[in-house]
Amino acid sequence: MSTATHKTISILLIFFYIILFKGVIDAQETVYAELGEMEERSLEVRTATKEPDFFVSGTSSKWIGLYFGVGFRKVKLEVADAVSISDSDGTANGIGFNLGYFWDEQVVEYERQISIVEHSESFTFQGESGKKLEVIQNNLWYSQYPKINRYFYLHYGGGLQFTKIRFAGTDSNDSFEDEIALGIESGASYFVTPNLLIYYRFSLGQQVPFLKSSTTSHFLKQSQLHTIYLNYYFPL
């Protein structure tokens, strides 16, 4: 084979390799372009749901905030000598107020419950008689607040209930009986919006004999309250 033939074959091979290499480069660029377009479309379609401020304040594991609001209740009281009074009219039997502080799935809360309830029959306690009671409870709670998902939380804990109770219609503050009870509570809360919280609590207060300073018997022996709060939450 002549030298000219070798040169011709070499030139054709080089030309063939150039064409093949260029084809491979073009194919890779096309694949990369299609992958880039698919990723952009995926990012456009994917929408991130906003976490409640309750969760994102501070860091993901440690958040701090305050909440407060008013509540409507179902009330059941055991008073005097086994007299039981129930009232499920959440707008007529008084109102609840709460103010709480969150930090790292824990809650410290002050709660004030004012209840005006009426028994079907008159009853007597320490020489006074009546059918309607006025009960003021100032409660201090400590609760755990585990997260179920970004909107739904549980809570459970205990505390002290400082109670003032008397027959309604008495003008003098001296007519109030001051009592202290041990309480437990549990419930759940749900964030309707990042700042609007629906908060349910069941609380049980039980009078303990050694917590009463005087030797007289307890007026309010036990209280059970189901309360639904509408709370405003804001992060710190």
Side-chain angles (χ1 to χ4, degrees), residues 7-81:
K7 288 182 178 180
T8 302
I9 293 173
S10 299
I11 292 171
L12 289 174
L13 288 174
I14 291 171
F15 182 73
F16 175 77
Y17 286 139
I18 291 173
I19 293 174
L20 179 63
F21 183 75
K22 186 176 185 304
V24 171
I25 295 298
D26 291 341
Q28 289 179 342
E29 290 178 351
T30 302
V31 171
Y32 290 149
E34 291 177 353
L35 289 175
E37 291 176 359
M38 291 174 62
E39 185 175 357
E40 289 179 359
R41 287 195 297 268
S42 176
L43 290 174
E44 290 175 356
V45 172
R46 190 183 307 142
T47 58
T49 303
K50 184 181 178 182
E51 294 274 8
D53 292 339
F54 176 93
F55 179 72
V56 301
S57 60
T59 67
S60 61
S61 62
K62 290 186 179 296
W63 33 260
I64 299 174
L66 292 175
Y67 65 92
F68 63 91
V70 295
F72 306 94
R73 305 92 42 75
K74 177 181 179 181
V75 179
K76 182 179 180 180
L77 306 177
E78 184 179 327
V79 298
D81 296 324

Side-chain angles (χ1 to χ4, degrees), residues 115-130:
S115 303
I116 301 173
V117 293
E118 186 173 0
H119 191 42
S120 58
E121 298 178 358
S122 179
F123 62 95
T124 302
F125 179 76
Q126 294 186 359
E128 296 186 18
S129 299

Side-chain angles (χ1 to χ4, degrees), residues 11 29 45 55 63-64 68 79 90 107 142 147 156 158 166 176 183 191 202 212 225 228:
I11 292 171
E29 290 178 351
V45 172
F55 179 72
W63 33 260
I64 299 174
F68 63 91
V79 298
V107 173
Y142 168 77
K147 174 184 175 182
Y156 55 89
R166 68 180 179 182
F176 276 112
F191 279 89
F202 168 72
K212 189 172 179 64
L225 284 84
I228 296 179

Side-chain angles (χ1 to χ4, degrees), residues 69-233:
V70 295
F72 306 94
R73 305 92 42 75
K74 177 181 179 181
V75 179
K76 182 179 180 180
L77 306 177
E78 184 179 327
V79 298
D81 296 324
V83 176
S84 181
I85 305 174
S86 297
D87 193 331
S88 59
D89 189 341
T91 59
N93 61 18
I95 197 168
F97 167 82
N98 67 339
L99 172 64
Y101 173 74
F102 290 108
W103 81 102
D104 195 22
E105 296 193 359
Q106 301 175 81
V107 173
V108 172
E109 181 183 316
Y110 165 72
E111 179 186 38
R112 183 176 175 87
Q113 296 274 11
I114 300 176
S115 303
I116 301 173
V117 293
E118 186 173 0
H119 191 42
S120 58
E121 298 178 358
S122 179
F123 62 95
T124 302
F125 179 76
Q126 294 186 359
E128 296 186 18
S129 299
K131 296 174 60 177
K132 184 178 291 187
L133 290 178
E134 180 181 355
V135 184
I136 301 174
Q137 292 175 303
N138 294 291
N139 306 325
L140 295 177
W141 299 109
Y142 168 77
S143 302
Q144 293 291 313
Y145 211 87
K147 174 184 175 182
I148 305 304
N149 59 44
R150 67 178 64 188
Y151 300 113
F152 185 66
Y153 296 78
L154 299 178
H155 59 88
Y156 55 89
L160 292 175
Q161 297 182 328
F162 301 90
T163 302
K164 290 179 173 291
I165 180 172
R166 68 180 179 182
F167 287 105
T170 306
D171 295 331
S172 174
N173 288 331
D174 295 336
S175 61
F176 276 112
E177 290 286 331
D178 294 319
E179 300 177 346
I180 302 176
L182 295 178
I184 57 174
E185 69 88 30
S186 65
S189 61
Y190 181 80
F191 279 89
V192 180
T193 70
N195 296 107
L196 178 60
L197 175 64
I198 295 179
Y199 188 102
Y200 165 75
R201 162 177 286 137
F202 168 72
S203 62
L204 171 66
Q206 181 66 51
Q207 302 293 341
V208 181
F210 67 81
L211 292 178
K212 189 172 179 64
S213 58
S214 65
T215 58
T216 59
S217 62
H218 289 284
F219 196 168
L220 177 61
K221 297 183 180 299
Q222 186 185 91
S223 64
Q224 298 180 31
L225 284 84
H226 298 265
T227 309
I228 296 179
Y229 283 101
L230 296 179
N231 284 149
Y232 178 81
Y233 169 82

